[in-house]
Amino acid sequence: QKEVEQNSGPLSVPEGAIASLNCTYSDRGSQSFFWYRQYSGKSPELIMFIYSNGDKEDGRFTAQLNKASQYVSLLIRDSQPSDSATYLCAVAPNDYKLSFGAGTTVTVRA
Amino acid sequence: DTGVSQNPRHKITKRGQNVTFRCDPISEHNRLYWYRQTLGQGPEFLTYFQNEAQLEKSRLLSDRFSAERPKGSFSTLEIQRTEQGDSAMYLCASSRGPNEKLFFGSGTQLSVL
Protein backbone atom coordinates (compact mmCIF):
# COMPACT_ATOMS: atom_id res chain seq x y z
CA GLN A 1 0.00 0.00 0.00
CA LYS A 2 1.35 3.40 -0.95
CA GLU A 3 1.73 5.94 1.83
CA VAL A 4 -0.31 8.54 -0.03
CA GLU A 5 -2.86 7.82 -2.76
CA GLN A 6 -4.73 10.30 -4.91
CA ASN A 7 -7.58 9.88 -7.36
CA SER A 8 -5.82 9.19 -10.61
CA GLY A 9 -7.47 11.72 -12.89
CA PRO A 10 -7.10 13.46 -15.16
CA LEU A 11 -9.93 15.67 -13.99
CA SER A 12 -11.55 17.97 -16.51
CA VAL A 13 -13.93 20.68 -15.30
CA PRO A 14 -15.57 23.64 -17.04
CA GLU A 15 -14.52 27.15 -16.12
CA GLY A 16 -16.41 28.36 -13.06
CA ALA A 17 -17.12 24.86 -11.74
CA ILE A 18 -15.83 23.20 -8.57
CA ALA A 19 -12.89 20.81 -8.86
CA SER A 20 -12.74 18.18 -6.12
CA LEU A 21 -9.52 16.33 -5.38
CA ASN A 22 -9.16 13.45 -2.97
CA CYS A 23 -6.27 11.92 -1.07
CA THR A 24 -5.94 9.05 1.40
CA TYR A 25 -2.95 8.18 3.53
CA SER A 26 -1.82 5.07 5.34
CA ASP A 27 0.04 6.32 8.42
CA ARG A 28 -2.54 7.07 11.09
CA GLY A 29 0.02 9.05 13.08
CA SER A 30 0.44 11.69 10.37
CA GLN A 31 0.08 15.18 11.72
CA SER A 32 0.49 17.62 8.83
CA PHE A 33 -1.12 17.72 5.43
CA PHE A 34 -0.29 19.84 2.41
CA TRP A 35 -1.49 20.51 -1.10
CA TYR A 36 1.02 21.56 -3.71
CA ARG A 37 0.31 22.76 -7.24
CA GLN A 38 2.76 21.88 -9.99
CA TYR A 39 2.66 23.34 -13.47
CA SER A 40 4.22 21.29 -16.23
CA GLY A 41 8.00 21.50 -16.09
CA LYS A 42 7.96 23.53 -12.87
CA SER A 43 8.57 22.70 -9.23
CA PRO A 44 5.79 22.18 -6.67
CA GLU A 45 4.28 25.28 -5.10
CA LEU A 46 2.52 25.14 -1.74
CA ILE A 47 -1.11 26.28 -1.90
CA MET A 48 -2.71 24.91 1.27
CA PHE A 49 -1.83 23.22 4.53
CA ILE A 50 -4.03 21.81 7.27
CA TYR A 51 -3.27 20.30 10.65
CA SER A 52 -6.67 19.86 12.33
CA ASN A 53 -9.83 17.99 11.44
CA GLY A 54 -12.38 20.03 9.56
CA ASP A 55 -12.27 22.61 6.81
CA LYS A 56 -9.77 25.34 6.06
CA GLU A 57 -10.53 27.97 3.47
CA ASP A 58 -8.13 30.25 1.63
CA GLY A 59 -9.65 32.24 -1.21
CA ARG A 60 -11.06 29.83 -3.77
CA PHE A 61 -9.37 26.83 -2.12
CA THR A 62 -10.78 24.71 0.71
CA ALA A 63 -8.88 21.86 2.32
CA GLN A 64 -10.78 19.25 4.30
CA LEU A 65 -9.23 16.81 6.74
CA ASN A 66 -10.72 13.74 8.40
CA LYS A 67 -8.07 11.94 10.43
CA ALA A 68 -10.41 9.15 11.49
CA SER A 69 -10.96 8.25 7.83
CA GLN A 70 -7.36 9.13 6.90
CA TYR A 71 -8.69 11.36 4.19
CA VAL A 72 -7.81 14.83 2.98
CA SER A 73 -9.38 16.71 0.09
CA LEU A 74 -9.03 19.94 -1.83
CA LEU A 75 -11.87 21.89 -3.39
CA ILE A 76 -11.20 24.55 -5.99
CA ARG A 77 -14.19 26.84 -6.42
CA ASP A 78 -14.86 28.98 -9.49
CA SER A 79 -12.15 27.09 -11.40
CA GLN A 80 -10.08 29.17 -13.78
CA PRO A 81 -7.93 28.07 -16.75
CA SER A 82 -4.90 29.13 -14.70
CA ASP A 83 -5.80 26.38 -12.21
CA SER A 84 -4.92 23.77 -14.83
CA ALA A 85 -2.01 21.92 -13.24
CA THR A 86 -1.11 18.77 -11.31
CA TYR A 87 -2.10 18.87 -7.65
CA LEU A 88 0.06 16.92 -5.23
CA CYS A 89 -1.14 15.76 -1.84
CA ALA A 90 1.66 15.54 0.75
CA VAL A 91 1.53 14.02 4.22
CA ALA A 92 4.03 14.24 7.05
CA PRO A 93 4.13 10.78 8.68
CA ASN A 94 6.83 12.04 11.04
CA ASP A 95 8.44 15.33 11.85
CA TYR A 96 11.07 15.41 9.19
CA LYS A 97 9.80 14.50 5.74
CA LEU A 98 6.83 14.73 3.42
CA SER A 99 5.46 11.79 1.47
CA PHE A 100 3.78 12.75 -1.77
CA GLY A 101 1.03 11.19 -3.81
CA ALA A 102 1.42 10.76 -7.55
CA GLY A 103 -0.74 13.81 -8.21
CA THR A 104 -4.02 14.53 -9.97
CA THR A 105 -3.93 16.51 -13.18
CA VAL A 106 -6.69 19.08 -13.49
CA THR A 107 -7.72 20.71 -16.75
CA VAL A 108 -10.11 23.65 -16.65
CA ARG A 109 -11.98 24.06 -19.95
CA ALA A 110 -12.65 27.65 -20.98
CA ASP B 1 13.50 37.27 -3.07
CA THR B 2 15.78 34.72 -1.40
CA GLY B 3 13.95 31.56 -2.36
CA VAL B 4 15.53 28.13 -2.80
CA SER B 5 18.06 28.23 -5.63
CA GLN B 6 19.25 25.22 -7.60
CA ASN B 7 21.98 24.93 -10.20
CA PRO B 8 22.21 23.90 -12.92
CA ARG B 9 18.64 23.94 -14.25
CA HIS B 10 19.40 21.25 -16.79
CA LYS B 11 22.18 18.70 -17.06
CA ILE B 12 22.77 16.28 -19.92
CA THR B 13 25.44 13.66 -19.37
CA LYS B 14 26.61 10.39 -20.75
CA ARG B 15 26.13 7.17 -18.88
CA GLY B 16 29.03 6.52 -16.53
CA GLN B 17 29.88 10.16 -15.92
CA ASN B 18 29.69 11.88 -12.53
CA VAL B 19 27.42 14.87 -11.96
CA THR B 20 27.02 17.32 -9.09
CA PHE B 21 24.08 19.58 -8.30
CA ARG B 22 23.98 22.51 -5.93
CA CYS B 23 21.18 23.83 -3.73
CA ASP B 24 21.09 27.10 -1.79
CA PRO B 25 18.20 27.05 0.71
CA ILE B 26 16.27 29.97 2.15
CA SER B 27 18.71 31.57 4.54
CA GLU B 28 16.88 31.09 7.85
CA HIS B 29 15.85 27.50 7.08
CA ASN B 30 17.89 24.89 8.91
CA ARG B 31 16.32 21.88 7.20
CA LEU B 32 17.26 20.95 3.66
CA TYR B 33 15.79 18.13 1.61
CA TRP B 34 16.54 16.39 -1.65
CA TYR B 35 13.72 14.78 -3.60
CA ARG B 36 13.63 13.07 -6.99
CA GLN B 37 10.67 13.22 -9.35
CA THR B 38 10.02 11.23 -12.50
CA LEU B 39 7.32 11.89 -15.05
CA GLY B 40 3.84 11.19 -13.75
CA GLN B 41 4.97 10.61 -10.19
CA GLY B 42 5.13 12.70 -7.08
CA PRO B 43 8.47 13.69 -5.55
CA GLU B 44 10.28 10.86 -3.76
CA PHE B 45 12.28 11.60 -0.63
CA LEU B 46 16.03 11.02 -0.95
CA THR B 47 17.68 12.61 2.06
CA TYR B 48 17.56 15.50 4.48
CA PHE B 49 19.85 17.64 6.60
CA GLN B 50 19.32 19.38 9.89
CA ASN B 51 21.96 22.09 9.66
CA GLU B 52 25.11 20.24 8.54
CA ALA B 53 24.04 16.81 9.80
CA GLN B 54 22.60 14.32 7.31
CA LEU B 55 19.95 12.63 9.44
CA GLU B 56 18.11 10.37 7.04
CA LYS B 57 18.77 8.67 3.74
CA SER B 58 16.16 6.81 1.73
CA ARG B 59 16.86 3.30 0.54
CA LEU B 60 16.38 4.83 -2.92
CA LEU B 61 19.74 6.52 -2.42
CA SER B 62 22.26 3.97 -3.66
CA ASP B 63 25.97 4.09 -2.88
CA ARG B 64 26.47 6.08 -6.07
CA PHE B 65 24.65 9.01 -4.52
CA SER B 66 26.20 11.26 -1.93
CA ALA B 67 25.00 14.51 -0.44
CA GLU B 68 26.75 17.05 1.70
CA ARG B 69 25.87 20.26 3.45
CA PRO B 70 29.09 21.76 4.75
CA LYS B 71 28.63 24.47 7.37
CA GLY B 72 24.88 23.99 7.23
CA SER B 73 24.43 26.34 4.31
CA PHE B 74 24.32 25.15 0.68
CA SER B 75 24.13 21.48 -0.22
CA THR B 76 25.50 19.38 -3.05
CA LEU B 77 24.17 16.13 -4.44
CA GLU B 78 26.64 14.02 -6.42
CA ILE B 79 25.78 11.04 -8.55
CA GLN B 80 28.69 8.85 -9.57
CA ARG B 81 28.72 6.55 -12.59
CA THR B 82 25.35 7.79 -13.78
CA GLU B 83 22.84 5.34 -15.25
CA GLN B 84 19.92 5.99 -17.56
CA GLY B 85 17.57 5.24 -14.68
CA ASP B 86 18.96 8.28 -12.86
CA SER B 87 17.24 10.56 -15.37
CA ALA B 88 14.77 12.63 -13.36
CA MET B 89 14.08 16.03 -11.88
CA TYR B 90 16.11 16.51 -8.70
CA LEU B 91 14.35 18.87 -6.34
CA CYS B 92 15.78 20.63 -3.34
CA ALA B 93 13.54 22.02 -0.62
CA SER B 94 14.05 23.76 2.68
CA SER B 95 11.99 24.40 5.80
CA ARG B 96 12.26 26.10 9.19
CA GLY B 97 11.78 22.94 11.20
CA PRO B 98 9.56 19.96 12.10
CA ASN B 99 6.19 19.74 10.38
CA GLU B 100 6.86 23.01 8.63
CA LYS B 101 6.05 23.79 5.03
CA LEU B 102 8.61 22.81 2.42
CA PHE B 103 9.62 25.39 -0.15
CA PHE B 104 11.02 23.93 -3.34
CA GLY B 105 13.65 25.18 -5.72
CA SER B 106 13.17 25.09 -9.47
CA GLY B 107 14.89 21.71 -9.70
CA THR B 108 17.67 20.26 -11.82
CA GLN B 109 16.52 18.17 -14.76
CA LEU B 110 19.03 15.38 -15.35
CA SER B 111 19.12 13.47 -18.61
CA VAL B 112 21.50 10.52 -18.86
CA LEU B 113 22.15 9.41 -22.42
Side-chain angles (χ1 to χ4, degrees), chain A residues 2 31-32 34 36 38 41-46 49 51 88 92 94-103, chain B residues 9 31 33 35 37 40-45 48 56 89 91 97-107:
Chain A
K2 292 185 178 179
Q31 296 296 318
S32 308
F34 306 84
Y36 284 81
Q38 187 172 29
K42 303 295 185 183
S43 61
E45 172 194 12
L46 180 70
F49 60 93
Y51 301 138
L88 298 164
N94 50 47
D95 71 353
Y96 66 83
K97 75 172 188 181
L98 295 189
S99 296
F100 286 82
Chain B
R9 292 292 307 275
R31 290 195 171 198
Y33 300 79
Y35 280 79
Q37 186 177 24
Q41 299 299 315
E44 293 178 301
F45 171 81
Y48 98 103
E56 179 75 12
M89 173 77 84
L91 294 163
N99 291 317
E100 285 286 341
K101 304 174 281 294
L102 293 191
F103 294 90
F104 284 88
S106 299

Side-chain angles (χ1 to χ4, degrees), chain A residues 74-105:
Chain A
L74 179 71
L75 298 178
I76 307 173
R77 293 183 302 282
D78 187 25
S79 296
Q80 302 297 308
S82 60
D83 295 326
S84 297
T86 296
Y87 290 82
L88 298 164
C89 173
V91 174
N94 50 47
D95 71 353
Y96 66 83
K97 75 172 188 181
L98 295 189
S99 296
F100 286 82
T104 301
T105 298

Side-chain angles (χ1 to χ4, degrees), chain B residues 1-5 24-29 103-106:
Chain B
D1 180 12
T2 55
V4 179
S5 176
D24 289 88
I26 295 172
S27 59
E28 65 267 26
H29 288 185
F103 294 90
F104 284 88
S106 299

Side-chain angles (χ1 to χ4, degrees), chain B residues 4-60:
Chain B
V4 179
S5 176
Q6 289 189 249
N7 286 289
R9 292 292 307 275
H10 300 91
K11 179 68 176 179
I12 300 173
T13 191
K14 293 182 178 179
R15 188 178 55 181
Q17 297 296 304
N18 299 345
V19 295
T20 300
F21 311 140
R22 176 178 171 127
C23 172
D24 289 88
I26 295 172
S27 59
E28 65 267 26
H29 288 185
N30 55 30
R31 290 195 171 198
L32 186 147
Y33 300 79
W34 286 99
Y35 280 79
R36 180 172 65 188
Q37 186 177 24
T38 54
L39 198 63
Q41 299 299 315
E44 293 178 301
F45 171 81
L46 293 179
T47 189
Y48 98 103
F49 293 83
Q50 172 84 23
N51 299 312
E52 69 276 8
Q54 187 176 19
L55 298 185
E56 179 75 12
K57 289 175 60 173
S58 167
R59 58 182 172 79
L60 294 174

